[in-house]
Amino acid sequence: MPEESAPAPALQRLSELVRRVNSSTDTADVLEEIVHGVCEVLGYGVAAIARLEGDTLVMTAVAGPDDVRRQVLGRRTPASEILDEFRQADRWGILRFVPHGRMDNARLTNAWIPDYEPIDDPMAWHPEDALYAPLYSATGRLLGNMAVDLPPDSRIPSRHERELLEMFVVQAGLALSNAQQREQLAEQVRLGSTVKEVAQAGSQPGLDAILAEACEAVHRGLEATQVWMRCYPDEDMSNGVAAGHPRPNPSGAGAASLRADLSSVWPNPEPVVVHRGDETCDRLPASLPKLQEMMASVGADSVVVVPMGVALELLGYIVIGFPGTRGPLQPAEVDAVAEIARELGRSVHSARLLETEQRLVSELRELDRYKGELITTISHELKTPLTTIIGHAELLGEIHEHRSVEAIARNAERLNRLVQNLLDYSRVQDRLASVRVDIDLVEVCRAAIDLAGMLADTGRVTVEMTACCEPVTVQGDPEELSLVVDNLVNNAVKYTRPGGTVRVEVECDPTWLRIAVHDSGLGISEADQVHLFSAFHRSSNPEALSIPGTGLGLAISRRIVESHGGRIEVESVLGRGSTFTLALPRVHPAVA
Ligand code: ADP
């Protein structure tokens, strides 16, 4: 065979390999094919590839006699030893040749040495000669090492033979590089989806459920032995919350020392790794003994402790136990743990805000209910003596006209209106209109104008009315709807200066019936309009304040209108006048 031309089977095998390296996702298979190719095509007696795992080279694929394979497969060698050897080697392109005599004795005892007598010929292969090819990634990171032994014809390989070997070596490097990229990608996906699952746990109702689900997600995603999480109690909550997986409830022992340690490092959120047997730990000095106990109790070889919190507030911690079999935590995993703690910190914070909000809402509801009860009780209690006072004042007035008697009667009447308003207000709170009869809104408006007639005459206010048609019928409670319209018309007259006008309009369209009460009165500022329909609100305008009123009429009106499925709105310009519009659906929603 002439030295220059590559043997056809070698090229064929190589092109087959190139294809496989580019298409296969099974790295172990490809590496097997490479080492067998080196033996079968290039004629080496032994070829082996070791992959770098952490800082150890692990023999992964071996071709050669069975006993050699049995001896070396799975063998682990510290990468530093091989790198030492490379330094003593002769460089043959990308190959490294360590001639016999250079290797130190310790290395020789560990290495596999073929069992035959060396021949006294400088070109003959000596049993203690070693030929390696370090396998690097495109970025120059060591990924593994290929070693060959027993070269063809037991001779030191020729330049041409080395070139052929190099071609196989390049393919092995590519296969390892591809495998590394795939693994990194899979790792990113795995860690990313764990972080996502923890973030999704944040949508669970309540802190217990959030922590329980997050524990499970971390246990599954990071292949942990045990996960514990704890949230400290806050000012509003008497108890903290803790969860664990697969062991459910952490005992709480050690929580205090861990809190003390983490408080002194917070707001540094970096995870701390503690190994079984570690005797010191700068960042967790007080909790180290307890962590060691924890590891022993769940059979973990190391734990990662990470504080969780938001801004300056330390909310709790996560402790994740890992088995010894999984190798040291990779930087990407430590980053993922930190991200998990950040996500969880955010979820815990929001869950607490929500809990506080819900508690406040229910306290407010309770307060509101109490307020309603108080108003009703007091108003009822006032009603009877007031009626008596008014009766007697009238009687006295008939017998003896006196300013004091008039004042008593006037003020008792005023009090009576307030009590009646209060009773109306508590009656219409939180309930739907129950009475539904046909009511003619035009008639309701006329009655309201009549009722306000005396006030209008005294105040020299003109009241007009227009209606689109008659009757304008709606279903509802006649007494309540009259109360609303009476109040709107009465207000319009009350808050209009002498010489002004009030116009009441009844309009209808296919879905709504409307009563609009326009006045050319005092008007209401924008700021006052915001609270106009709240109970006890009176405008800040001094002129309006000088006119007696309770601030309850519009609040009652809105409740009544809403209980009829309608709405009430105001448009007003201070000093120019106001329009209050009451809109009711043609068909009562409950009926529809
Ligand atoms: P009251 O008139 O008994 O005080 P309301 O609830 O009916 O109570 O009205 C609340 C406040 O809104 C009044 O105190 C008044 O300041 C203002 N207001 C109501 N209607 C008018 C109006 N038509 N023009 C000007 N201000 C009004």
Side-chain angles (χ1 to χ4, degrees), residues 311-450:
L312 291 176
E313 194 186 357
L314 177 67
L315 295 173
Y317 59 78
I318 306 174
V319 177
I320 309 169
F322 291 105
T325 45
R326 72 179 310 284
L329 270 195
Q330 298 304 308
E333 289 176 305
V334 177
D335 287 351
V337 170
E339 184 57 28
I340 284 169
R342 271 194 293 277
E343 281 295 344
L344 212 57
R346 280 194 281 269
S347 301
V348 168
H349 185 64
S350 321
R352 288 212 161 142
L353 283 183
L354 194 73
E355 273 176 13
T356 311
E357 203 176 285
Q358 281 168 344
R359 207 189 47 251
L360 285 178
V361 166
S362 74
E363 278 173 16
L364 279 176
R365 280 216 185 101
E366 179 53 25
L367 212 66
D368 200 48
R369 195 193 55 76
Y370 177 70
K371 184 191 77 183
E373 245 176 55
L374 200 71
I375 290 178
T376 318
T377 316
I378 294 180
S379 316
H380 272 296
E381 292 304 314
L382 286 174
K383 189 86 184 154
T384 324
L386 257 179
T387 318
T388 316
I389 293 172
I390 292 170
H392 282 279
E394 272 173 13
L395 216 73
L396 266 179
E398 280 167 24
I399 303 166
H400 179 61
E401 253 185 51
H402 192 280
R403 270 181 47 221
S404 302
V405 178
E406 269 173 37
I408 292 172
R410 199 173 52 247
N411 284 295
E413 201 49 64
R414 208 168 141 188
L415 263 182
N416 197 33
R417 266 201 306 279
L418 172 65
V419 169
Q420 189 53 50
N421 274 347
L422 282 173
L423 281 173
D424 287 340
Y425 178 69
S426 48
R427 184 165 51 87
V428 298
Q429 282 298 302
D430 303 325
R431 63 129 186 74
L432 284 176
S434 49
V435 184
R436 281 195 304 269
V437 294
D438 281 351
I439 309 159
D440 177 11
L441 291 182
V442 179
E443 233 172 65
V444 172
C445 290
R446 277 204 192 105
I449 293 170
D450 267 0

